[in-house]
Amino acid sequence: MTDLPEPDRIAGAPHPRDTPVLFGQDAAIADFLDAYNTRRLHSGWLITGPRGVGKATLAWKIATFLLAQPASPDAGLFGDPPPVTSLAIAPDHPDARLIAAGAHPRLFVVRRPVDDKTGTLKADITVDTIRGMKGFFQMSSADGGRRVVIVDAADEMNRAAANAILKELEEPPARTTLLLIAHQPSRLLPTIRSRCRVLRCAPLAADDLAAVLDQAGLSADQSQALQALSGGSAGDAVRLLTQDGLALYAQLVQLLDGLPQIDRTAALKLAESCAGKQNANRFALMLDLFDLLLSRAAHAGIAGEPRTQGAPGEARLLTRISPHDRAARAWADLTQTAGARARHGRAVNLDPAALVLDMIFSIERVAQTDASP
């Protein structure tokens, strides 16, 4: 079986455990350190926010920080150690080196497992993965040091796995911290949410996004388009840059500029460019770009012409096809129905080109009916 990429790694960017600096999440860091310094460190933490803004990096920074703390901190001159002002741990610290090597005995990471039958990643985090923590807790308790569990992402747990992690939150082992990363916390059991303290990560401002991309060694020459389409998500920005997403979005805008009539030949060419296993990433990105364009069209129907463009001519297109709130509702409805239909088709391995064409012609139908002036 070929080696699979880690499910919590974004292609083209360093893994969160290897990311030197976390940008744009100072408020979340301050909230955690305040709890640590005032000895109100919860056993369960729910790290929330949009996908790709640094939640996993924050979790790994917190894990490294906690694991590097001595089992019995030395008291200061007046009884208490000085307050900690940073999560930073030197890369050559023994615990940091163990984490970098993926060999820290007091760290357990929960991710989607590999399906032994297909050799691919499973769609969910399964209960067997959560049960693996039992052995971890038994083996890692000998030295008395703090233990950390990272669940990435908690909203990928199936029902049985969620119930299993809930038991650990209800009766957490001593000196153990569980860090649950959630892109959509509403999908979690309410009882899981109620037993965790929340750390919220915000979308990245333009300067922070540029700093993240520079740290990853990526050039962001088209900064306005990248900011508009990424929505402050470094993960989305990396995908757009490394998978030629900006050019693909511009191609989509150019195709739809012919609405209410679509150029059939151009539509077929765009659809066929997503066919085949070699274009699987392009197909997945294309579906996301459809969602993005439709959501931006819905927003334009309410708020008017967008202030930033994801591609040349996009603002003019969105204003023309979404001139009123009725059109906005139509595009929002299509985002839900056509997007769900396309993703179901992808899950059951329907022809990618056919799915892309279906999406294009669904857009054409809405432009000719519900979104018409």
Side-chain angles (χ1 to χ4, degrees), residues 137-187:
F137 290 142
Q138 294 170 358
M139 293 177 61
S140 62
S141 61
D143 63 3
R146 182 175 294 278
R147 295 167 294 186
V148 177
V149 174
I150 297 175
V151 182
D152 190 2
D155 40 1
E156 294 175 345
M157 293 187 295
N158 62 24
R159 175 65 65 154
N163 285 325
I165 202 77
L166 177 60
K167 292 180 180 178
E168 302 300 337
L169 289 167
E170 290 174 335
E171 300 179 6
R175 294 184 59 77
T176 298
T177 301
L178 284 81
L179 304 172
L180 278 63
I181 300 165
H183 312 302
Q184 296 177 292
S186 61
R187 295 180 58 186

Side-chain angles (χ1 to χ4, degrees), residues 12 35 39 45 52 60 68 84-85 123 145 152 156 180 188 202 243 246 257 266 291 302 315 333 355:
R39 298 182 181 180
W45 293 81
W60 283 90
V84 180
T85 59
D152 190 2
E156 294 175 345
L180 278 63
L188 296 175
Q243 299 181 28
L246 295 177
D257 194 47
D291 280 353
I302 301 297
D333 289 343
L355 291 172

